[in-house]
Structures are given as structure tokens and as C-alpha cells.
Amino acid sequence: MHVIVDFCIVPLGVGVSVSAYVSACQRVIRDAGLDHHMHAYGTNIEGPWDDVMAAVKRCHEEVHAMGAPRITTTLKLGTRTDRDQSMQDKIDSVNA
């Protein structure tokens, strides 16, 4: 099943700046070969369900390994069975 998610990971107990942790997650997602687009408050990711969820799990593992004792994550997701739709398709539909 194909899924599009909006993913926001927030490490807690690491100070005010979290850019190093976000950067580490971006590498995890990129290395997973998933189409993704970072925005100001998270990242949109699309791909096969299991691959996307594995990348989210790997982000948690990586951020904990970097020293974050606690993480809070917001995950919104959507799936369709009536047709294939990419993130760009959704944007193009609104722009049209």
C-alpha cells in the first residue's frame, strides 16, 4: 500500500536547537530512497507503507542514539485505493 505522511519528530531534553536531529532524520529518509519534502514544521514522505514506517522507526532510533532521552512525534497519513496519487499530484490539483 502506498502512503503519504506528514512527519514531525521533536527530540526532548536536548536543548532549544534541534536542527542536528532533523538533519539526521533527513539522511535516514534519503538513505531509505523515499520521496520526501522538508517544510518548516516537518517532512512529507511518500512510498510503500512498510518502507515509510521503517524510516520513521529508524529516525527514532537515530535520534535516541544521538542522546535524546525522549521524543514526541506527530504523524498524519493518508492512503488511497481508488487511484495512484503522489504528493506532487495533490499540489498540482490545488494549483489547477
Side-chain angles (χ1 to χ4, degrees):
M1 179 181 302
H2 186 84
V3 65
I4 298 174
V5 303
D6 188 29
F7 171 59
C8 179
I9 188 167
V10 180
L12 302 173
V14 297
V16 176
S17 178
V18 298
S19 58
Y21 302 91
V22 172
S23 179
C25 282
Q26 291 296 303
R27 283 190 299 276
V28 166
I29 296 163
R30 183 193 65 231
D31 291 349
L34 297 167
D35 190 12
H36 62 286
H37 301 281
M38 187 176 67
H39 53 86
Y41 282 98
T43 302
N44 293 130
I45 311 167
E46 73 176 311
W49 179 283
D50 291 340
D51 296 346
V52 171
M53 295 308 156
V56 169
K57 178 182 178 183
R58 182 70 189 110
C59 285
H60 269 252
E61 293 168 342
E62 182 69 21
V63 170
H64 279 305
M66 293 173 70
R70 187 173 177 189
I71 299 168
T72 184
T73 291
T74 303
L75 188 66
K76 294 187 289 185
L77 56 94
T79 59
R80 290 191 78 148
T81 59
D82 58 328
R83 68 183 180 94
D84 290 335
Q85 184 179 45
S86 70
M87 292 184 292
Q88 190 60 51
D89 292 337
K90 292 172 74 64
I91 293 167
D92 292 346
S93 177
V94 171
N95 287 335

